[in-house]
Amino acid sequence: MHKEKSHIKYLFVKLAVFVALAICVFIFREALIEHLKYFIGGLMLLYGVEEILFEVIFHGKNFWKCEKTYLGFVELILGTTLFFYPLEAEPAEVVKMTCVIWAAWSIIREAFEIRELVVEIKSVVLTIISGIESVAVIVLSVMLILEPGEHHAMIHLYLLLAELVLTPLVPLLDEIIEERKQKRD
């Protein structure tokens, strides 16, 4: 039970951090587009570290047997790639490359999200909400691959706002709903 309480506390902290990040993204969206590779690269690094540590620390999973460990490694590789993409490249080329890597990362993440919806999330309402978000992310990511550029990057930034809030909110609400069900039983 203690591990579940610390897990819920962690999800509350993660939600607060991600909501603050979403607010910053909204406020500074124009500047973020100008420095897209560093922002998205940094976000990938943040997600990668969090994915690896979260599963091992809070779920007590074996580091090498946990699928999120491998997702975290992919995120670390993609984020590092963006940071070290040639500085002398044309700005438009950097934006295009960032868009393609961002879109690929989003599709990979959504594959894991869909797996969680099917296997782990217990609330039907949360499954539907998260499922709709996953489909929207995949469709917009394909568009970002097909037409990479600032316009689609800005659309993806707006989608990122919802994603930053839903990523910790869905598991948190699912935990709270499940805990309340157990108390009633």
Side-chain angles (χ1 to χ4, degrees), residues 2 9 19 25 27 34 50 52 56 60 64 81-83 88 100 106 108-109 128 173-175 180:
H2 178 265
K9 286 179 185 177
V19 166
V25 168
I27 292 170
E34 292 177 23
E50 193 270 339
I52 292 168
V56 174
W64 296 110
T81 300
L82 281 179
F83 264 97
E88 65 276 354
V100 171
S106 295
I108 292 166
R109 284 191 53 74
I128 291 169
L173 290 176
D174 193 53
E175 292 284 337
R180 287 189 178 160

Side-chain angles (χ1 to χ4, degrees), residues 19-38:
V19 166
L21 185 57
I23 291 168
C24 289
V25 168
F26 180 75
I27 292 170
F28 300 110
R29 62 192 177 277
E30 296 294 329
L32 291 176
I33 288 294
E34 292 177 23
H35 304 285
L36 196 61
K37 83 173 198 160
Y38 296 112

Side-chain angles (χ1 to χ4, degrees), residues 131-167:
I132 291 168
E133 183 259 348
S134 289
V135 170
V137 168
I138 291 169
V139 168
L140 290 171
S141 293
V142 169
M143 290 172 58
L144 195 58
I145 290 171
L146 296 175
E147 292 184 42
E150 287 187 19
H151 172 70
H152 280 121
M154 186 59 81
I155 292 170
H156 224 66
L157 265 183
Y158 285 118
L159 180 61
L160 180 62
L161 297 174
E163 215 173 328
L164 285 170
V165 174
L166 288 175
T167 295

Side-chain angles (χ1 to χ4, degrees), residues 8 44 69 74 94 115 121 135 162 179:
I8 289 175
M44 287 176 183
T69 299
V74 168
V94 173
R115 183 218 163 265
I121 302 295
V135 170
E179 187 177 280

Side-chain angles (χ1 to χ4, degrees), residues 6 12 15 18 31 43-44 48 71 92-93 101-102 119 138 150 162:
S6 64
F12 270 113
L15 178 62
F18 278 39
L43 194 60
M44 287 176 183
L71 172 61
E93 184 65 28
I101 291 174
W102 185 9
V119 176
I138 291 169
E150 287 187 19

Side-chain angles (χ1 to χ4, degrees), residues 117 123-136 166 169-170 173:
L117 293 176
S123 167
V124 174
V125 173
L126 294 176
T127 298
I128 291 169
I129 291 169
S130 195
I132 291 168
E133 183 259 348
S134 289
V135 170
L166 288 175
L169 185 62
V170 168
L173 290 176

